[in-house]
Amino acid sequence: MTAARDLGGLTEHEFGFVARTRPRRRDGSAWPCPWPWRRRLWLAGLVAAVGWSLWSAGVGRREIVNPGGWTIFARFWKAAATPDLSGGFLRQTWEGALTTLAFAVLGTALAVAIGVVGGVLSSETWWRRDRARRGGRTSVSRGWLAGRAVWGLPRGVHEAVWGLFLVNVLGRDPLVGILAIAIPFGAVTAKVYADLIDESARGQYDALRLAGAGRVASLAYGVFPVVLPDLASYAFYRFECSIRSAVILGMIGAGGIGLQLSLSFQSLRYREMWTLIYALVAISALADVWGASLRRSSSRRRVGASLRAGAALVVASALHLGPDLGRLASAGTRALLADLAAASFPPSLPAGGWGGLVRRSVETAQMSVLAVAIAAALAVAAAFVAARGGGGAGRRATAAAARLLLLVTRAIPPPVWALLALFVLFPGPFPGAVALGVYNFGILGRLMTEVVENLDDRPHAAIAAAGAPRLSAFAYATLPLSLPRFAAYALYRWEVAARETVVVGVVGAGGLGRLLEQQRAAFDYGGMVGTALALVAVSILIDLISAAARRALR
Amino acid sequence: MDGAAVALDRVRVVLGGHAAVQDVSLAVPAGQRVALVGPSGAGKTTLLRLCTASVAAESGSVRVLGADLATASAADLRAVRRRIGSVHQQLDLVGPLRAVHNVNAGRLGAWGRARALWSLARPAEVDAARRALALVGVAGKMFERTDRLSGGEQQRVALARVLVQDPDLILADEPVSSLDPARARDVMDLLVAVAADGRERTLLVSLHDFELARQSCDRVVGIRGGRVAFDLAAGAVTDEIGAALYRLTTG
């Protein structure tokens, strides 16, 4: 169990499914207190990282705001009141929305399929030797470690990068968008599912194994019935992420609403953009409501209905997109893959050599630090405002407005935020960080709002019942109970933000993403592989730091 | 002041459509220790929650520490609550805070906001907190995180919180329900010691353990189906009365 936790730093906090309680020692006692100075050191380090990133981005040292862009920036926001509602464009929006949704549905379905198979194969439960060893050590075989290691690389590469590579092999086909979502998401899902299987009650599985049942049968009877609601709930969470990814993939050519967004942006038709943005908000809201109902009461009946609806959606999406499955194994694909492999290997360095690559990598890391700092600062404030529960009509209206704001900020894809930021900020990593910060504010804000809503309210009630003023009760109960989970979410999101820098980079906001886009335009495939590997290295490094920080701050 | 710390008069409480408490009248003189006993779901918790106005009476009157809770203003209610210390079944401590802050949470009703916030950075009234923790036997755990303490230690921190609050009335909702008999005995003794620290405070405690109620309290009130089944001095309660209270209704 501890092994799964150590390796699964990401999954444990990703959605709070796996471990809501603090781990306890086998005899039930609490773990000893870590040295407080270690926590302080971590906090100081994180603050210093934000300061260093701000300084490097030139904040306070040179001109950042570009006053020339304000008029066009204002024009974009004014168009929000007058979206293009002509019949023709509404029909196009509807078509685009269907295409985007279809990509998300098929990408998720494939990711979940990969997740179930891969999750079982990389779970400790599957590989555990069922014969005790001398010394009483429970042992897992090497197969388990291998299964775990396999998921690192596909997960570290962003969907957009997968899309850029796959389009060179498969050509312009819906398969590109589907696989670009399914490969990285399948890897993440497999890891989460493995943890869910391992964390579920072992007793029943072991009892069946002892009675002589095979591994598959024991899983089917002893484990899956227990974890099914959690698996379904996580699959749905992935679907919500897939919608956002499908929009981004659309912007780089896969079609759907994303493509329409970038076309409207290029031709400065802001009223059309707002029609599309409102459509995205509606889709996100719908997915939110569906997912929330699934999570709140994961009753068997509702999970079953959602699974059936999901299956119907998969069929409809496949008919709508019509991916050419023959391409996967065709001679042409094989030839293109061979060409690409020949052109890509060995990976090469960008123009500046190692120095240039390291400089861009550092820039990427700094962008992610700033993005998460901006997102977390805004989200903590928003979470307490947006949380449901209690209060008069005024309080409820404010909360609803805050939730709408969060919904809109995460419905607008990061490349659009980056293009907007580039109107009013001079190019460089800073506008990229701002764009990612605003987008992640929408996501973190929503996660943190859920933390506040699900908070145990009894400690607060006890303190309030002893006559404490509202602010004091907030400071002694609500705040200390929510801050550790806020920190965990922000640190988890930091790693995601590092991977996302690539999608604001491709529109020119700096970092490795910018480099990748330049190399793509120059057909420098070897360079692209090198840059992608650097991105993976940066996100693995950040993942390690973030996991260590989460352990220290827990 | 009529001398009663708690005075319930023909109180009826409806929760979720059914009557949780019906026609209960109960007067607890200041300084008395009263045990509420009865089967699960009898309405013991509801009776205790009535005393802090956490649930409202449908009819009848609830007077606590001289104030009529139905008509008390918000300021009056806060003033009354400041004088009531609560110990809950689930302890209701804030896990990520250090023990000293959980103890000091008992002082929040008396402290101003600024003082409360500053104390999170530089703990105030440390001596009082240390004395309270020493009295319940966990002086060494003052600066440890509360969720890293054992269950028994957390129980003691919850009692120390009541001590520093220095209330006139202590309400304890099944404080020993999850403990083995020896530890339950121990915690009840501490609770009685807390109630008697410096002066005699009124104690209203709900218990499952009949024997413990008889030993620790002056008076035992049996609750069943939201009504008072009996109300006797601790010495007058017999085993037969207890058995009758817990007997399952048939038919």
Side-chain angles (χ1 to χ4, degrees):
Chain A
M1 154 163 176
T2 39
R5 253 175 230 289
D6 290 341
L7 287 167
L10 179 143
T11 44
E12 189 179 327
H13 289 292
E14 178 161 25
F15 218 71
F17 280 128
V18 179
R20 286 205 191 276
T21 50
R22 189 170 304 285
R24 298 215 145 220
R25 275 192 280 201
R26 199 152 295 177
D27 59 358
S29 64
W31 288 96
C33 186
W35 311 313
W37 64 261
R38 214 177 68 175
R39 290 180 62 186
R40 279 186 206 167
L41 221 58
W42 270 108
L43 283 176
L46 294 174
V47 169
V50 173
W52 173 60
S53 305
L54 274 175
W55 187 82
S56 296
V59 175
R61 290 189 305 149
R62 56 168 178 261
E63 209 69 58
I64 290 172
V65 177
N66 174 8
W70 279 110
T71 45
I72 196 159
F73 187 71
R75 197 133 55 85
F76 170 82
W77 289 105
K78 263 184 229 149
T82 56
D84 186 343
L85 297 177
S86 63
F89 194 71
L90 281 181
R91 211 164 27 250
Q92 278 183 41
T93 305
W94 173 249
E95 281 288 317
L98 284 185
T99 302
T100 296
L101 265 178
F103 274 119
V105 167
L106 290 180
T108 311
L110 195 52
V112 169
I114 296 172
V116 169
V117 176
V120 167
L121 290 182
S122 54
S123 71
E124 203 184 322
T125 306
W126 180 262
W127 292 105
R128 200 154 30 106
R129 298 199 179 94
D130 50 1
R131 214 166 296 176
R133 285 192 160 182
R134 263 184 302 186
R137 262 184 47 217
T138 45
S139 61
V140 288
S141 59
R142 279 191 210 101
W144 174 67
L145 283 174
R148 285 270 150 165
V150 163
W151 306 118
L153 193 71
R155 193 163 59 83
V157 178
H158 193 273
E159 302 91 86
V161 181
W162 277 111
L164 292 179
F165 274 108
L166 286 168
V167 78
N168 284 307
V169 178
L170 296 167
R172 292 216 160 264
D173 190 87
L175 271 178
V176 173
I178 297 167
L179 289 177
I181 293 174
I183 293 172
F185 282 16
V188 178
T189 309
K191 210 153 130 29
V192 172
Y193 279 10
D195 282 358
L196 283 171
I197 290 170
D198 285 340
E199 300 267 340
S200 85
R202 281 266 176 79
Q204 301 167 32
Y205 176 85
D206 289 342
L208 290 165
R209 292 284 285 150
L210 283 176
R215 287 194 285 197
V216 173
S218 302
L219 280 175
Y221 279 78
V223 173
F224 274 102
V226 181
V227 295
L228 189 65
D230 283 347
L231 300 188
S233 180
Y234 184 78
F236 201 87
Y237 167 66
R238 268 297 136 200
F239 175 57
E240 293 173 40
C241 300
S242 295
I243 296 174
R244 293 194 276 270
S245 294
V247 176
I248 293 169
L249 285 166
M251 292 190 77
I252 60 172
I257 278 201
L259 183 65
Q260 290 172 324
L261 261 180
S262 58
L263 291 178
S264 297
F265 196 96
Q266 280 157 21
S267 45
L268 308 179
R269 289 197 290 265
Y270 298 137
R271 296 181 51 215
E272 288 183 5
M273 282 191 77
W274 277 101
T275 314
L276 298 163
I277 288 171
Y278 288 134
L280 281 178
V281 170
I283 293 172
S284 307
L286 220 65
D288 270 10
V289 171
W290 190 0
S293 83
L294 204 65
R295 271 191 294 277
R296 218 161 280 154
S297 60
S298 290
S299 73
R300 198 136 297 242
R301 210 161 53 92
R302 205 172 288 190
V303 170
S306 286
L307 284 179
R308 276 192 293 281
L313 276 176
V314 168
V315 175
S317 303
L319 291 175
H320 181 76
L321 289 180
D324 178 8
L325 291 176
R327 283 200 195 207
L328 279 178
S330 74
T333 301
R334 267 200 302 271
L336 282 168
L337 189 61
D339 286 354
L340 186 70
S344 307
F345 288 94
S348 60
L349 290 169
W354 278 108
L357 194 65
V358 168
R359 193 171 53 79
R360 299 287 197 155
S361 301
V362 169
E363 203 171 87
T364 294
Q366 289 174 328
M367 270 169 79
S368 69
V369 168
L370 282 184
V372 165
I374 293 169
L378 294 173
V380 168
F384 292 114
V385 178
R388 281 186 193 82
R395 165 82 182 76
R396 280 204 300 276
T398 320
R403 286 199 298 275
L404 185 66
L405 175 72
L406 292 172
L407 186 61
V408 172
T409 38
R410 67 175 181 270
I412 299 178
V416 172
W417 281 120
L419 291 167
L420 288 173
L422 285 169
F423 280 153
V424 290
L425 301 170
F426 285 113
F430 190 63
V434 169
L436 275 182
V438 172
Y439 171 71
N440 277 300
F441 157 61
I443 292 173
L444 265 184
R446 182 218 161 161
L447 291 172
M448 291 182 180
T449 303
E450 270 176 20
V451 168
V452 176
E453 285 173 354
N454 296 335
L455 221 53
D456 181 0
D457 56 359
R458 289 174 310 202
H460 181 273
I463 290 175
R470 199 180 295 182
L471 179 68
S472 303
F474 176 79
Y476 274 75
T478 312
L479 208 53
L481 284 173
S482 45
L483 280 182
R485 286 190 68 82
F486 284 178
Y489 274 133
L491 284 167
Y492 159 65
R493 205 66 211 171
W494 180 23
E495 193 239 340
V496 181
R499 265 181 288 141
E500 280 173 344
T501 53
V502 73
V503 299
V504 294
V506 294
V507 297
L512 287 166
R514 175 116 192 249
L515 183 61
L516 196 71
E517 173 60 19
Q518 287 163 351
Q519 289 164 332
R520 193 187 67 86
F523 301 103
D524 175 9
Y525 295 120
M528 279 177 78
V529 172
T531 307
L533 287 177
L535 257 170
V536 172
V538 168
S539 72
I540 287 177
L541 193 68
I542 287 180
D543 190 24
L544 290 175
I545 298 174
S546 147
R550 283 190 306 236
R551 269 198 300 278
L553 295 179
R554 190 148 59 199
Chain B
M1 285 285 273
D2 46 16
V6 175
L8 307 179
D9 187 25
R10 278 166 290 142
V11 172
R12 178 183 160 82
V13 177
V14 178
L15 292 178
H18 83 277
V21 167
Q22 311 182 48
D23 196 30
V24 168
S25 295
L26 184 69
V28 180
Q32 198 174 45
R33 294 196 299 270
V34 178
L36 302 175
V37 294
S40 305
K44 303 187 296 290
T45 300
T46 308
L47 278 176
L48 291 174
R49 287 165 60 84
L50 263 176
C51 300
T52 53
S54 299
V55 296
E58 187 94 342
S59 61
S61 87
V62 181
R63 292 181 68 79
V64 177
L65 299 173
D68 184 336
L69 295 191
T71 57
S73 67
D76 287 345
L77 184 61
R78 259 188 61 192
V80 170
R81 284 176 162 181
R82 247 175 248 165
R83 296 166 58 200
I84 304 175
S86 297
V87 183
H88 291 264
Q89 201 165 318
Q90 304 90 354
L91 303 179
D92 294 346
L93 297 174
V94 182
L97 286 184
R98 287 158 199 269
V100 62
H101 297 307
N102 266 308
V103 173
N104 276 343
R107 300 289 296 149
L108 293 182
W111 286 356
R113 294 169 183 81
R115 175 150 208 197
L117 294 183
W118 182 241
S119 175
L120 283 173
R122 289 268 171 274
E125 299 186 10
V126 177
D127 290 338
R130 183 175 291 123
R131 182 187 163 276
L133 286 168
L135 194 85
V136 294
V138 284
K141 308 286 183 179
M142 182 133 118
F143 292 104
E144 299 225 6
R145 258 179 67 156
T146 308
D147 54 9
R148 300 200 202 272
L149 301 180
S150 73
E153 288 165 345
Q154 293 190 14
Q155 192 114 33
R156 284 152 199 266
V157 171
L159 288 175
R161 175 191 281 187
V162 174
L163 258 179
V164 300
Q165 191 187 343
D166 190 18
D168 296 321
L169 168 65
I170 298 175
L171 304 173
D173 188 8
E174 309 211 358
V176 297
S177 61
S178 53
L179 302 177
D180 63 60
R183 282 183 182 73
R185 176 81 258 172
D186 213 34
V187 168
M188 267 315 286
D189 287 347
L190 277 177
L191 187 61
V192 169
V194 166
D197 181 53
R199 63 199 163 93
E200 287 297 323
R201 296 178 181 80
T202 315
L203 174 65
L204 196 53
V205 54
S206 73
L207 289 171
H208 270 304
D209 187 335
F210 211 70
E211 196 47 44
L212 211 52
R214 266 198 299 204
Q215 287 168 7
S216 314
C217 296
D218 307 321
R219 179 177 163 195
V220 179
V221 178
I223 309 286
R224 187 182 171 116
R227 294 173 192 276
V228 174
F230 62 82
D231 183 350
L232 296 165
V237 184
T238 61
D239 290 341
E240 291 76 58
I241 296 177
L245 186 69
Y246 279 93
R247 192 168 297 140
L248 296 174
T249 38
T250 46

